[in-house]
Amino acid sequence: MIIATAGHVDHGKTELVKALTGVDTDRLPEEKARGLSVDLGFAYHSLPDDDAILGFVDVPGHEKFIRNMLAGVAGIDLGLLVVAADDGVMPQTREHLAILGLLGMRHYIVALTKIDRVSPARVQEVTDQVSELLGEGGHEGTAIYPVCALDNEGIDALMKALRARKKEARSRNVNHHFRMAIDRVFTLKGIGLVATGMVFSGAIHTGDELILSADGSSVRVRGIRVHNSESNCAKAGERCAINIAGRGLSEHRIRRGNWLMQSSLYAPTRRIDVELQVLESEDGPLKHWTPTHLHIGADHLSARVAVLSGGAIPAGACGLAQLVASRDAFALHGDHFVLRDQSAQRTIAGGRVIDPFSPKRGRARPARLAALNALRHSSTLAALRAWTEVSETGVLIAPFSVAHNLPAPRIDTLVDALGLQRVGQGPDQRVFCETQWQTLQAKIVQAVETFHLSRPTSPGASIKDIRLSLAPRIEVAALEDALAALTKDQRLCMRGNRFHLRSHSIQFSKRDQQLLARVAPKLAPQSGTPLSLHHAAEDLCVDVKTLEAALKTACKFGDMVLIGKNRYVPKPYLTKLGAVAERLATHCPDGYFTTVDYRDQTELGRNFIIDVLEYFDRVGFTERNGNVRRIRRSADDVFKVPHDG
Ligand SMILES: Nc1nc2c(ncn2[C@@H]2O[C@H](COP(=O)(O)OP(=O)(O)O)[C@@H](O)[C@H]2O)c(=O)[nH]1
Ligand SMILES: [Mg+2]
């Protein structure tokens, strides 16, 4: 269990940690000279009865060093609030307590120090003052232990209380991907570079590869110390020191605030959607686009606050906001953070990350706000269920998995448990809940119906027509899957590559029908080369435009394909030509054949053959390499769905 001190400067935090652990955490020469903690100090105490360890993070109390304090308290289990009996509650007593509250701290223990300097009446007075302060934050009833660190008075009782609380350590899942917030970096002679910090999630072993967030470079874990002793593994909830090695890695490429993480978590972001709590102590509301100082993990950077509804969040209130960071940051769902004012003088707000990967546009649109409200659920299952229920466009699985730190098998279990519909592949895969999936299909049918009404002579709507008429816009992969389901259920049918209602029938005009019947033998002769549009028109003594219009309609139906300029080929004839090419390739060395080979095989005119082969290249059936071609995809595959050329 990791415990952090909190409290005003000079109230005896460092002295108390020393009394509890025997370790003087003021290690810097400056700290020794000034008798003042400047940076974080660390001390560990092994409990005799079991192998548990109490880890202490001793923080500086001076207001000038709050930044350092903040780097040390993210992810800790218990706050040890230190108040000197002589001074009583002071500004940083309040500020530290507020910071821990914003960071989600639920458990405190209070040490009332320097009781040797005051009367019993004063001890009581300050006890009441501290109780009242804790009560304001909903922590009434928190135990307060009077101590004098100099002569060890009350230290045993306090230690006993701390031990008893070790059961309250935050429960952490070691099955998540590993990440650690780096708070110190140094080089040890004979060992190399060491980074220390709090392990937020997962576990690592010596020999593992990790990513350094500073530049995305890969590093290898050469050695691990957990709570100050050698180990071959470190896991969530522990403080550890990792000896890392990597190409070109040096102390100046890595700093406090960076993360060490498994590669699947490496996802820099600059737009983080959060639930924001403004401190009651603020004079006015937090306005839209306020410049602030964001503290997250052990990192700090400047960020603007975009208020997502209402234009401002009043003091003491909570609201949805987007943090727009000045540089890349790393955050996951549920991470806590603190905002200080731009000049880093005071703490103004803080909260919890809802979605670390906000879309580029439309951050305050109603649909996005509905998604954010759905994601407020703290359980991953409930969040995914709620989000898919409100999302008309489906939920992208990859960023959701990263945001919730879910290894692949775990996300699969969730998707199955919720009975979600998967569409698309790889990083573009989305999931829909059954209701939204059905709604989408109904909207598509509606769109096709509307299309028929507005274009009665068209054989049906193309995917593009359907996509353009749907709002919100649906990804093509999702649309294709929905259309496949609709055609399978025969709620929609296909003519060529167009979709129509089952009830919808259009026919060629009598004249077109006759024309097409007459032109068919010219375009697909038993022997000899098919004619071009103009020659066919001439041959039949019909107007080119009239013939072209009839052929175009046939193309829409998928009966005819325009393969090159003025070159219409009936679909079955084209399929036959494809089969010839496929057969030819199997008899050629390495499957490569020339234009002449193909011409000899088909005994058709040169110009026609060139048009055909170029069409084959375009639709991905063949692949040209100088003078030769080979088959890229099987004819079955390519000619099943007609192409417009
Ligand atoms: N008399 C007395 N002095 C104390 C006690 N605890 C700390 N001090 C002294 O108060 C000063 C500040 O203590 P320190 O631990 O550095 O305070 P911090 O700034 O909160 O870490 C030091 O001179 C300590 O020796 C105590 O219980 N009694
Ligand atoms: Mg100190």
Side-chain angles (χ1 to χ4, degrees):
M1 180 167 74
I2 309 295
I3 301 159
T5 59
H8 202 73
V9 63
D10 248 2
H11 275 201
K13 295 181 290 299
T14 302
E15 197 72 50
L16 181 63
V17 170
K18 195 165 137 196
L20 288 164
T21 65
V23 178
D24 182 2
T25 58
D26 278 351
R27 62 204 151 77
L28 303 174
E30 183 191 357
E31 293 177 322
K32 291 267 183 250
R34 291 168 69 184
L36 177 87
S37 310
V38 170
D39 206 346
L40 301 168
F42 304 97
Y44 300 96
H45 177 76
S46 330
L47 300 181
D49 39 333
D50 49 34
D51 59 356
I53 288 191
L54 295 184
F56 289 87
V57 179
D58 183 34
V59 309
H62 197 285
E63 58 171 332
K64 258 173 62 187
F65 306 121
I66 291 256
R67 195 173 85 186
N68 292 340
M69 178 261 180
L70 275 157
V73 292
I76 57 149
D77 300 293
L78 183 69
L80 175 57
L81 182 67
V82 175
V83 185
D86 48 358
D87 273 356
V89 169
M90 294 286 279
Q92 269 65 54
T93 317
R94 292 180 183 281
E95 185 166 17
H96 281 198
L97 197 60
I99 285 172
L100 292 182
L102 292 171
L103 291 175
M105 181 56 52
R106 296 288 164 264
H107 308 293
Y108 298 93
I109 278 188
V110 183
L112 198 65
T113 56
K114 307 194 187 182
I115 53 166
D116 53 312
R117 287 200 184 165
V118 299
S119 66
R122 173 66 184 166
V123 170
Q124 190 54 52
E125 192 183 357
V126 178
T127 302
D128 293 346
Q129 201 185 24
V130 174
S131 296
E132 195 187 321
L133 175 67
L134 284 159
E136 287 167 17
H139 300 289
E140 43 277 290
T142 299
I144 299 177
Y145 292 85
V147 298
C148 168
L150 297 186
D151 57 16
N152 270 334
E153 193 187 339
I155 297 299
D156 281 350
L158 177 61
M159 183 52 106
K160 221 174 129 196
L162 290 171
R163 277 188 200 177
R165 302 292 286 271
K166 72 174 197 287
K167 293 183 288 303
E168 286 170 12
R170 297 184 190 199
S171 67
R172 297 169 209 258
N173 194 337
V174 291
N175 298 324
H176 290 157
H177 296 298
F178 175 89
R179 63 181 178 136
M180 177 182 102
I182 298 172
D183 50 35
R184 272 187 310 166
V185 183
F186 47 87
T187 308
L188 285 183
K189 228 177 164 172
I191 291 187
L193 199 64
V194 176
T196 74
M198 183 78 197
V199 182
F200 275 50
S201 61
I204 45 151
H205 297 84
T206 38
D208 283 357
E209 290 279 327
L210 293 174
I211 300 290
L212 176 63
S213 71
D215 53 8
S217 65
S218 152
V219 299
R220 197 167 45 80
V221 177
R222 280 175 38 178
I224 303 171
R225 288 178 78 81
V226 172
H227 300 159
N228 252 356
S229 7
E230 207 75 44
S231 173
N232 54 16
C233 157
K235 57 183 190 298
E238 296 176 336
R239 277 197 55 83
C240 71
I242 311 181
N243 173 208
I244 47 175
R247 194 188 297 168
L249 187 65
S250 67
E251 217 177 300
H252 63 261
R253 263 183 50 201
I254 162 170
R255 58 167 180 79
R256 168 177 287 177
N258 289 161
W259 295 83
L260 275 172
M261 51 182 55
Q262 259 154 16
S263 57
S264 26
L265 290 186
Y266 180 72
T269 177
R270 294 197 180 196
R271 288 179 309 274
I272 306 171
D273 285 344
V274 301
E275 203 171 61
L276 193 69
Q277 170 74 48
V278 179
L279 288 180
E280 194 126 14
S281 51
E282 281 299 279
D283 288 339
L286 181 70
K287 295 201 187 82
H288 180 69
W289 214 239
T290 302
T292 64
H293 223 72
L294 164 66
H295 295 261
I296 189 157
D299 202 8
H300 66 95
L301 60 155
S302 45
R304 296 257 180 191
V305 180
V307 175
L308 297 183
S309 68
I313 305 174
C318 193
L320 288 173
Q322 180 169 104
L323 307 178
V324 182
S326 56
R327 61 162 167 81
D328 285 349
F330 292 82
L332 297 186
H333 172 86
D335 282 354
H336 284 90
F337 62 91
V338 165
L339 294 179
R340 303 196 82 220
D341 72 316
Q342 193 180 18
S343 53
Q345 298 292 311
R346 60 176 215 289
T347 303
I348 54 181
R352 197 168 70 99
V353 172
I354 301 293
D355 186 358
F357 310 118
S358 318
K360 274 209 179 72
R361 276 181 286 275
R363 65 178 159 222
R365 279 186 198 147
R368 178 63 189 163
L369 294 182
L372 288 178
N373 278 316
L375 281 169
R376 277 173 139 160
H377 287 281
S378 51
S379 119
T380 307
L381 181 109
L384 184 58
R385 175 192 287 130
W387 193 6
T388 51
E389 277 168 4
V390 297
S391 178
E392 292 178 82
T393 54
V395 170
L396 267 175
I397 276 296
F400 183 87
S401 303
V402 177
H404 291 259
N405 198 347
L406 297 174
R410 182 94 179 85
I411 188 79
D412 289 345
T413 315
L414 283 182
V415 168
D416 292 345
L418 292 171
L420 302 176
Q421 173 76 33
R422 289 176 190 260
V423 298
Q425 296 291 322
D428 298 324
Q429 186 165 81
R430 285 169 185 268
V431 286
F432 283 78
C433 75
E434 188 53 28
T435 316
Q436 289 291 0
W437 186 239
Q438 291 306 333
T439 308
L440 173 62
Q441 292 183 31
K443 275 164 66 180
I444 292 172
V445 171
Q446 177 74 55
V448 172
E449 204 174 334
T450 312
F451 184 89
H452 287 327
L453 289 175
S454 66
R455 307 262 305 273
T457 59
S458 169
S462 67
I463 287 196
K464 200 173 153 201
D465 294 328
I466 297 170
R467 184 154 186 263
L468 288 175
S469 67
L470 293 180
R473 204 58 67 80
I474 302 291
E475 287 297 312
V476 173
L479 203 52
E480 281 174 351
D481 281 13
L483 283 164
L486 285 165
T487 35
K488 189 164 164 263
D489 295 348
Q490 299 194 342
R491 290 168 69 194
L492 290 181
C493 306
M494 287 186 85
R495 285 188 188 110
N497 53 1
R498 290 171 176 273
F499 296 86
H500 66 94
L501 295 184
R502 215 139 65 106
S503 56
H504 179 260
S505 65
I506 67 155
Q507 287 190 336
F508 289 111
S509 67
K510 262 258 147 51
R511 201 184 61 170
D512 280 354
Q513 239 168 16
Q514 281 168 357
L515 205 48
L516 287 168
R518 284 176 63 211
V519 80
K522 312 279 173 202
L523 300 183
Q526 289 294 340
S527 63
T529 305
L531 299 185
S532 69
L533 171 68
H534 289 85
H535 286 131
E538 217 170 276
D539 231 45
L540 298 174
C541 296
V542 294
D543 173 42
V544 175
K545 289 265 171 299
T546 314
L547 180 59
E548 192 176 20
L551 290 169
K552 274 190 173 154
T553 312
C555 283
K556 285 185 187 166
F557 279 80
D559 300 341
M560 196 68 71
V561 183
L562 178 64
I563 64 160
K565 194 155 181 260
N566 296 326
R567 189 79 82 184
Y568 289 88
V569 180
K571 187 69 202 301
Y573 192 80
L574 191 64
T575 311
K576 217 171 73 192
L577 289 173
V580 172
E582 213 164 38
R583 239 183 357 260
L584 172 64
T586 59
H587 295 119
C588 292
D590 294 332
Y592 283 102
F593 60 91
T594 62
T595 309
V596 176
D597 292 339
Y598 189 61
R599 209 179 124 194
D600 290 349
Q601 197 71 28
T602 54
E603 298 182 325
L604 299 175
R606 187 182 141 75
N607 289 349
F608 179 76
I609 284 302
I610 287 176
D611 277 355
V612 169
L613 289 175
E614 283 179 354
Y615 171 78
F616 284 170
D617 292 341
R618 262 198 323 277
V619 297
F621 171 49
T622 54
E623 180 175 58
R624 180 176 174 180
N625 191 350
N627 287 327
V628 292
R629 284 186 169 78
R630 65 182 184 90
I631 306 295
R632 234 178 91 193
R633 281 164 56 208
S634 83
D636 261 6
D637 232 27
V638 182
F639 296 108
K640 210 168 43 196
V641 180
H643 291 266
D644 285 333

